[in-house]
Amino acid sequence: MTSNPVPVLTLDGPSGAGKGTVGTRCADRLGWHYLDSGAIYRAVAWRALSDGIAPDDDEGLRRLCRTLHFQSVAKPGDVVDIYVNNRNVTSEVRGEEVAVHTSRIATRPVVRESLLKLQRHSRELPGLVADGRDMGTVVFTDATTKVFITASADVRAQRRYKQLKDKGLDGNLRALLEAIKERDARDSGRAVSPLKPAGDATVLDTSDMSIDEVVSAVLDLVNQHLHPIRPDRNK
Ligand code: C5P
């Protein structure tokens, strides 16, 4: 049981499972804050790339994390803008090159350790929806509700392909599938905070579910945990 009065919903899972859309919609419906932890890792990777800091340069990475001023601003339509040191870097950090570099940087204990405080700082009333890979297992172990959202690699690659097409961008389905599998292997196989469901998480395979169905299943879980039905003592 948590002693922290701020409720937290953690959404963990592999890339492309729909956590971002589900997370922003749940946050919107609950009126809670939203933490996109992947965006923080991406911001670090993007700065490391632009400052020429190698993924094994622990001192350089520690310094970078210490001076990183990160801000995310939710906009209508499930869109979240990312600011690093007051510069809008949303499109830069969302690219595939940064994504691949991010999964390398994210294996470094120094980076994970340095970003813990920043992530825990987002826990503010009336509540927080935290999206990532280790939200339920490491960052918010006392969360009110933990959900692990997954879908088959094929379905995730197709969703990503459609997203790119909708934005008028080119995508190669086979290359996207390979990139997803590579990232999954790195995220699940790393020694520190590997991607896995928390022991007390509910696992949702969304391969055959619509976004609305996932959002409503997750909100049902939150409601059950916030307002548990107590046995009637008068009977
Ligand atoms: O969620 P998103 O795809 O933006 O995350 C990018 C990468 O950041 C992931 O592939 C993973 O390597 C890393 N990440 C992480 N821990 C988190 C969130 C993201 O290691 N909590």
Side-chain angles (χ1 to χ4, degrees), residues 37-38 41-42 102-103 106 112 132-135 183 187 190:
S37 63
Y41 282 93
R42 283 169 185 264
T102 307
S103 70
R112 307 206 71 86
R133 303 294 188 286
D134 61 344
M135 298 296 100
R183 204 132 66 90
D187 287 348
R190 69 182 173 220

Side-chain angles (χ1 to χ4, degrees), residues 54-120:
D56 59 355
D57 175 1
D58 281 351
E59 220 13 76
L61 289 170
R62 193 195 311 276
R63 215 173 315 116
L64 192 164
C65 290
R66 218 185 290 137
T67 56
L68 184 89
H69 182 262
F70 174 89
Q71 220 190 340
S72 67
V73 178
K75 297 206 308 193
D78 308 329
V79 181
V80 179
D81 272 352
I82 309 300
Y83 289 80
V84 171
N85 299 351
N86 296 322
R87 176 176 160 198
N88 187 335
V89 294
T90 314
S91 52
E92 285 93 331
V93 302
R94 295 274 175 229
E96 276 309 310
E97 190 203 356
V98 170
V100 170
H101 199 62
T102 307
S103 70
R104 293 202 183 102
I105 294 267
T107 63
R108 308 302 294 178
V110 65
V111 172
R112 307 206 71 86
E113 189 67 25
S114 307
L115 296 181
L116 266 182
K117 221 202 236 167
L118 180 64
Q119 296 173 85
R120 289 185 176 144

Side-chain angles (χ1 to χ4, degrees), residues 19-197:
K19 293 177 299 215
T21 312
V22 172
T24 47
R25 290 197 193 175
C26 286
D28 196 44
R29 295 271 293 273
L30 292 161
W32 289 5
H33 303 280
Y34 171 66
L35 168 69
D36 177 358
S37 63
I40 302 182
Y41 282 93
R42 283 169 185 264
V44 172
W46 171 74
R47 281 252 345 238
L49 275 174
S50 46
D51 292 1
I53 299 169
D56 59 355
D57 175 1
D58 281 351
E59 220 13 76
L61 289 170
R62 193 195 311 276
R63 215 173 315 116
L64 192 164
C65 290
R66 218 185 290 137
T67 56
L68 184 89
H69 182 262
F70 174 89
Q71 220 190 340
S72 67
V73 178
K75 297 206 308 193
D78 308 329
V79 181
V80 179
D81 272 352
I82 309 300
Y83 289 80
V84 171
N85 299 351
N86 296 322
R87 176 176 160 198
N88 187 335
V89 294
T90 314
S91 52
E92 285 93 331
V93 302
R94 295 274 175 229
E96 276 309 310
E97 190 203 356
V98 170
V100 170
H101 199 62
T102 307
S103 70
R104 293 202 183 102
I105 294 267
T107 63
R108 308 302 294 178
V110 65
V111 172
R112 307 206 71 86
E113 189 67 25
S114 307
L115 296 181
L116 266 182
K117 221 202 236 167
L118 180 64
Q119 296 173 85
R120 289 185 176 144
H121 226 79
S122 339
R123 187 172 191 167
E124 282 185 283
L125 284 169
L128 176 72
V129 177
D131 158 346
R133 303 294 188 286
D134 61 344
M135 298 296 100
T137 50
V138 177
V139 184
F140 302 107
T141 48
D142 62 345
T144 326
T145 302
K146 300 181 184 180
V147 182
F148 190 85
I149 296 188
T150 186
S152 72
D154 281 320
V155 166
R156 288 184 284 131
Q158 266 157 20
R159 286 179 185 165
R160 179 87 183 117
Y161 180 71
K162 185 172 176 302
Q163 254 176 8
L164 289 173
K165 275 198 105 170
D166 289 348
K167 284 187 196 156
L169 299 170
D170 266 347
N172 175 313
L173 191 55
R174 197 177 310 160
L176 286 171
L177 180 61
E178 283 314 307
I180 278 182
K181 285 184 174 167
E182 192 191 318
R183 204 132 66 90
D184 281 358
R186 219 187 329 254
D187 287 348
S188 312
R190 69 182 173 220
V192 222
S193 308
L195 170 67
K196 62 169 187 202

